[in-house]
Structures are given as structure tokens and as C-alpha cells.
Amino acid sequence: MSIFDRLRKKSITQFDNAYLTAHRFTDGKGFPPSYIDFATHLGWGRLCGLFLIYVPLGQHPDSWTIRSPCIKQAMDSFYEEMEHDPFLLEPDGYEGIEQSLVPFATSENGEYLVWDLAHRSSDDELPIYVLAARMGGIRYGAPNLYDFVERCENDEAVKSMLGPGYAKLPLIFEPLPLER
């Protein structure tokens, strides 16, 4: 049983399963297994009382297919405008990371959760990084979404991922309605 089975309390929002299984990134592979597990067990909603995890929802405004490209475009424009300032990659980013980041979630405090497509693991997971609010830094989150969620409920780990102003987050999931 995954951590997402424990969070499932209500019926999930209908997601676009065909897109979830058929989509391929530039590396020729699909979504990470932990994200697929999340989408199929939980769907669209708020995770740990803070993160809006975008899943494929067709043409709905909160669909991964709509939000991820929009966020990625803003990220690319920001990093280009800032002329790839190395300060913006601290504390855990590396030169060129911004080019391989794929957003999949946002926090209600302005952080983005992104996958690093350049470092897919042998089990097809993508490492998760946290872009600070206003893209003012990059912190390593976890090797996959399972570990990210588990780290959210650990006081020291959440500070490492999100910054010293955070305390551990509740292990909850709130399905959100698909309103337009």
C-alpha cells in the first residue's frame, strides 16, 4: 500500500487517464510512477494542506496540460531575463538545471514543485526540486513524490525542502471541485 492509499478518503476527481499513460517527455518516457500513483489514487486537489498537484484534466484550467506549460513559460522567461544568475540556483540547483525543469505543482505560498528531467532514475522516477517563491532559489525536495510527501511530515526535512520558516505539514489530501 502506498502513502497515497492512506490519504484517499473521498472519491477522486476524474482525470484524463489516456493522457496520463500516453504522454511522453523529451526523454521519450512518461510520467514518473509515483505521480501516476498519485493521480490515479487521489486526482486533483490540495496535498499536505499546501500543494496543488496538477493532474491531466483535459482542457480544464487547472489541468497539468494547461498549468505546466504556462508555469514553464514564466520560468523560462524569468531565467532568461535574469541572464541565468547562479544566485537563483542556490542552494541545490546546478548550472543549466532551469532548462530541464518541468513544473507539476504549486504551493499556496508561491513555490513550484518541478521535476528534473535530466536526471531520471533507473526506476523512471524524476527528482523533485522546489523553486522558491518568485523563483528566488532552488532546493532539492526528494527522489520521488512518495518521499516528498513523507518528508513533508518531518520537521527537519520540510525545512530542508521548503526553507527554515516551515514546520512539518499535515499528511492530508483534500479533493478540489472542478469549477470553471
Side-chain angles (χ1 to χ4, degrees), residues 6 11 13 19 22 30-31 33-34 39 60 78 90 106 116 122 138-139 148 151:
R6 296 186 352 224
S11 62
T13 305
Y19 187 91
F31 287 107
S34 60
H60 188 275
F78 174 81
E90 294 181 2
T106 189
D116 180 0
S122 60
I138 299 176
R139 292 178 179 268
F148 182 85
R151 294 188 75 200

Side-chain angles (χ1 to χ4, degrees), residues 9-79:
K9 303 286 186 223
K10 301 175 186 174
S11 62
I12 64 169
T13 305
Q14 285 297 324
F15 61 94
D16 187 342
N17 189 50
Y19 187 91
L20 186 68
T21 56
H23 177 75
R24 294 294 174 259
F25 291 102
T26 55
D27 67 354
K29 297 188 176 194
F31 287 107
S34 60
Y35 175 81
I36 292 170
D37 191 22
F38 176 90
T40 57
H41 280 87
L42 299 173
W44 162 240
R46 184 179 298 108
L47 179 64
C48 297
L50 183 64
F51 299 104
L52 301 173
I53 309 292
Y54 300 112
V55 298
L57 300 167
Q59 292 304 306
H60 188 275
D62 289 319
S63 175
W64 182 87
T65 60
I66 305 295
R67 296 299 302 147
S68 182
C70 179
I71 296 167
K72 179 65 173 162
Q73 181 178 17
M75 288 169 46
D76 290 347
S77 294
F78 174 81
Y79 287 118

Side-chain angles (χ1 to χ4, degrees), residues 84-179:
H84 305 284
D85 183 343
F87 173 74
L88 298 172
L89 304 180
E90 294 181 2
D92 299 325
Y94 58 87
E95 189 174 335
I97 189 174
E98 67 276 12
Q99 296 161 0
S100 66
L101 297 179
V102 177
F104 70 94
T106 189
S107 82
E108 293 187 331
N109 293 336
E111 295 97 354
Y112 293 113
L113 300 184
V114 295
W115 291 305
D116 180 0
L117 198 58
H119 290 94
R120 190 180 289 265
S121 67
S122 60
D123 61 355
D124 284 334
E125 289 291 350
L126 292 168
I128 296 170
Y129 283 84
V130 180
L131 297 185
R134 297 184 187 97
M135 295 178 228
I138 299 176
R139 292 178 179 268
Y140 177 73
N144 57 57
L145 197 51
Y146 301 125
D147 288 352
F148 182 85
V149 171
E150 288 176 3
R151 294 188 75 200
C152 282
E153 62 178 345
N154 177 295
D155 205 39
E156 288 303 312
V158 81
K159 289 177 186 330
S160 170
M161 294 188 310
L162 302 176
Y166 279 90
K168 69 180 182 175
L169 301 173
L171 184 59
I172 58 173
F173 178 78
E174 175 189 358
L176 296 175
L178 290 177
E179 299 171 357

